[in-house]
Amino acid sequence: MSTAPANWYPDPQQPGTVRYWDGARWTEHVQPQIPPQQVPSPPAQPHADEQRQGQSVAHQPMPEKPKVKLFGARKQAEGLLERNAHLERVIAEMGALDVAEMNARRAELQGEIARLQAQAAETAAQVLDIERNLVDSREQVEFQEVGYYRFHHPAENSVKLADEIASVRERMKQIQRDKKAATRSTKFTYNNSASQGKKFVNDLHDMMLTAYNAEAENAVKSVKAGNLSAAKARLEKAADRIAKRGKMVDVAITPAYHRLRIRELELAADYWMMKQQEKEADRARREELREQRKAEQELAREREKLEKERQHYRAALAALEARGDSEGAERVRAQLAETEQAIETVDYRAANQRAGYVYVISNIGAFGERMVKIGMTRRLEPMDRVNELGDASVPFRFDVHAMFFSPDAVGVETALHQRFAAQRVNKINTRREFFYVTPHEVLDALREQVGAVTEFVEAPAAEEFRLSQGTPDTSF
């Protein structure tokens, strides 16, 4: 049986070596087993930190080295051998258990390291994002010090204008970053102090630029489709006032920055103009659909009425022929032919969407003598449409200058609209078919377009208007 120094015991996994037991667990320290006849030198003790490792393992203290008694030595030796074999089995089991626990712990630590690395990467990304936001916040604070705020511009919602307004705003921000939104003097002194003069000029510069930016923002928020010129003039006056008030220290809005602010204003007006055009186009489409439905309903009612008349005439004709009344039958045949012709006309009108009446009307009491409306209708009775136009929305009824049927009324109307496009009253909504022309000018255009015009009235009657003018109002 071999011997070993204190706390060093044979290693069953590596025969011929001994392993150190620190009182709680097996360590990694091993050395060759020393024969009993040799006097071993005390092995180096493991470091105290290493002895403290593995305290989580269940503490199992090794028994003290047994002392051999004088009597019963053989029996005692056999007992020691048996105990030593038991201990070797325990050591082997504990050694295997320790390695498994170490592998499990190693895998656990590797997983923890991977989780911490992922968390560190996420934290680093958050730090970068915070730093970017911090830079942007600092920049916003600097912009707000001169009155430049990030407000909602109407063109941001427009598919056509969103990119341009974003570009304009980015250029404005860059000019302000470069300190080129407004000029300032660098040689002004105050109380013979250059530093006080610089502070005075900077304060005045920031105050003037803040006032200008506020005026520009208010102009953008208040501009509409029809007041762009007034909004531009308002911003021009603001820039002129700043140049006059800051002349002594050279404080003035730079032309480049002013142009961008004007363009920002124009884009807002363009947006509202587009919105108005869309509304007018939608209203015109709805009106056109209503007119079309009315025409279709009129044609359907007329077709139904004519069909009843035809059946009536056919029945009457059969009865007259049965009685031998040839004269009466002849009259009914003529009426039946007229009815069938009318049915064909209705069917033609229903099938041909371009057929209809072109009309030229005016209302000098409402719009003056040099304005007419040129339109078309598919109604069976075109005057129904004219009467609708002269309802309570205008003070007087319309006068008709021309009303004629055309198989291509849409084409005739379009040609006349194109002829007088420059004289159109409403250049935004083309469904508003009023033009600054006289009836005589329209007559000349009609002659060129359709040839001979059967009937045309140049001088409007304007009966209601003329009677109203000739009868003074005595109600007050």
Side-chain angles (χ1 to χ4, degrees):
M1 179 177 178
S2 61
T3 60
N7 296 333
W8 289 81
Y9 300 95
D11 188 351
Q13 296 180 349
Q14 301 183 33
T17 62
V18 291
R19 185 178 293 274
Y20 186 77
W21 175 266
D22 63 1
R25 71 179 185 88
W26 294 103
T27 69
E28 297 296 330
H29 298 82
V30 295
Q31 66 178 15
Q33 190 173 13
I34 302 174
Q37 65 273 15
Q38 295 180 0
V39 180
S41 58
Q45 299 296 317
H47 195 273
D49 292 340
E50 297 178 352
Q51 294 182 5
R52 287 194 295 270
Q53 295 178 356
Q55 294 301 318
S56 61
V57 181
H59 181 64
Q60 297 183 8
M62 292 298 293
E64 296 181 359
K65 189 176 181 181
K67 297 179 180 180
V68 179
K69 298 180 180 179
L70 183 59
F71 300 100
R74 181 183 295 276
K75 185 176 181 180
Q76 187 176 0
E78 292 175 355
L80 289 174
L81 287 173
E82 183 179 353
R83 183 174 180 79
N84 183 61
H86 172 70
L87 290 175
E88 286 179 352
R89 289 194 300 270
V90 172
I91 289 171
E93 293 175 358
M94 293 182 64
L97 181 62
D98 188 55
V99 171
E101 288 182 350
M102 288 177 63
N103 290 335
R105 181 61 177 164
R106 182 181 297 108
E108 182 181 351
L109 289 175
Q110 288 174 346
E112 182 70 12
I113 290 172
R115 186 183 67 81
L116 292 174
Q117 287 176 342
Q119 184 177 357
E122 182 180 356
T123 304
Q126 292 177 355
V127 169
L128 289 176
D129 188 53
I130 290 172
E131 289 177 348
R132 283 194 296 266
N133 291 336
L134 181 60
V135 171
D136 186 64
S137 299
R138 288 173 177 169
E139 185 178 79
Q140 290 299 324
V141 170
E142 292 178 358
F143 289 160
Q144 291 173 10
E145 288 179 352
V146 293
Y148 184 83
Y149 293 89
R150 178 67 172 86
F151 66 95
H152 175 72
H153 191 284
E156 293 175 13
N157 299 332
S158 171
V159 176
K160 295 182 179 180
L161 304 178
D163 291 341
E164 185 173 358
I165 188 59
S167 174
V168 168
R169 285 189 155 181
E170 184 56 37
R171 281 182 284 168
M172 286 195 298
K173 290 170 69 174
Q174 188 59 50
I175 285 179
Q176 294 194 76
R177 291 189 197 100
D178 297 338
K179 309 297 182 184
K180 294 181 179 180
T183 59
R184 73 187 89 184
S185 174
T186 58
K187 300 178 181 180
F188 186 78
T189 60
Y190 184 76
N191 289 335
N192 295 325
S193 171
S195 61
Q196 291 185 19
K198 181 179 180 181
K199 183 178 184 306
F200 174 82
V201 172
N202 289 340
D203 290 345
L204 183 62
H205 166 275
D206 291 350
M207 182 178 65
M208 294 293 191
L209 187 54
T210 298
Y212 176 79
N213 284 330
E215 189 69 26
E217 180 178 336
N218 289 333
V220 169
K221 290 180 178 179
S222 61
V223 70
K224 294 298 178 184
N227 65 346
L228 176 60
S229 298
K232 280 185 176 181
R234 174 179 171 182
L235 198 56
E236 293 281 359
K237 290 179 180 179
D240 291 341
R241 285 197 302 269
I242 290 173
K244 292 178 181 178
R245 305 281 171 80
K247 184 176 181 179
M248 185 174 64
V249 290
D250 295 336
V251 172
I253 305 300
T254 61
Y257 188 68
H258 182 63
R259 283 194 299 270
L260 288 173
R261 277 297 197 181
I262 290 292
R263 184 55 187 155
E264 181 187 36
L265 188 59
E266 291 173 345
L267 288 173
D270 290 345
Y271 170 79
W272 293 118
M273 183 73 72
M274 290 169 55
K275 290 292 290 183
Q276 181 175 333
Q277 290 175 350
E278 290 174 0
K279 289 181 180 178
E280 292 291 344
D282 289 340
R283 188 180 296 111
R285 281 193 293 270
R286 290 194 297 270
E287 176 63 24
E288 185 177 354
L289 289 174
R290 284 194 296 269
E291 179 69 11
Q292 182 176 343
R293 281 196 298 270
K294 287 181 180 179
E296 291 173 352
Q297 290 169 358
E298 286 183 358
L299 290 171
R301 287 195 298 268
E302 184 68 13
R303 181 69 165 74
E304 183 179 0
K305 185 187 74 170
L306 291 173
E307 184 62 34
K308 289 180 180 179
E309 290 181 1
R310 180 164 65 177
Q311 296 300 328
H312 170 73
Y313 289 137
R314 284 177 176 176
L317 179 61
L320 290 172
E321 288 177 345
R323 290 200 305 265
D325 188 352
S326 59
E327 185 177 351
E330 189 63 28
R331 289 196 302 269
V332 172
R333 284 193 191 95
Q335 293 172 334
L336 179 59
E338 291 178 0
T339 302
E340 288 179 342
Q341 180 64 38
I343 290 175
E344 291 178 3
T345 301
V346 170
D347 291 341
Y348 170 79
R349 293 281 301 277
N352 188 356
Q353 298 290 325
R354 300 182 67 84
Y357 288 89
V358 177
Y359 59 82
V360 180
I361 58 179
S362 67
N363 192 324
I364 62 173
F367 308 118
E369 295 183 357
R370 192 175 177 81
M371 185 183 297
V372 298
K373 175 176 172 60
I374 304 172
M376 65 85 62
T377 180
R378 297 182 63 238
R379 302 279 191 89
L380 285 173
E381 180 49 59
M383 283 304 298
D384 290 345
R385 177 57 177 163
V386 175
N387 293 332
E388 287 177 0
L389 294 172
D391 61 8
S393 61
V394 290
F396 305 103
R397 294 181 182 276
F398 280 90
D399 290 294
V400 178
H401 297 278
M403 178 79 73
F404 59 92
F405 179 82
S406 172
D408 187 17
V410 175
V412 174
E413 179 196 38
T414 302
L416 292 174
H417 288 179
Q418 292 175 349
R419 170 69 178 273
F420 300 114
Q423 289 82 27
R424 183 181 287 276
V425 176
N426 188 335
K427 299 182 182 299
I428 304 303
N429 182 7
T430 56
R431 296 299 303 174
R432 304 291 184 178
E433 303 162 331
F434 288 89
F435 301 85
Y436 290 117
V437 294
T438 63
H440 183 76
E441 291 172 323
V442 179
L443 175 60
D444 291 340
L446 276 174
R447 286 170 177 164
E448 296 176 6
Q449 182 66 29
V450 298
V453 179
T454 304
E455 186 177 354
F456 192 96
V457 179
E458 288 194 42
E463 184 178 356
E464 292 180 347
F465 170 68
R466 299 188 194 284
L467 290 175
S468 298
Q469 292 294 102
T471 305
D473 188 355
T474 59
S475 60
F476 293 96

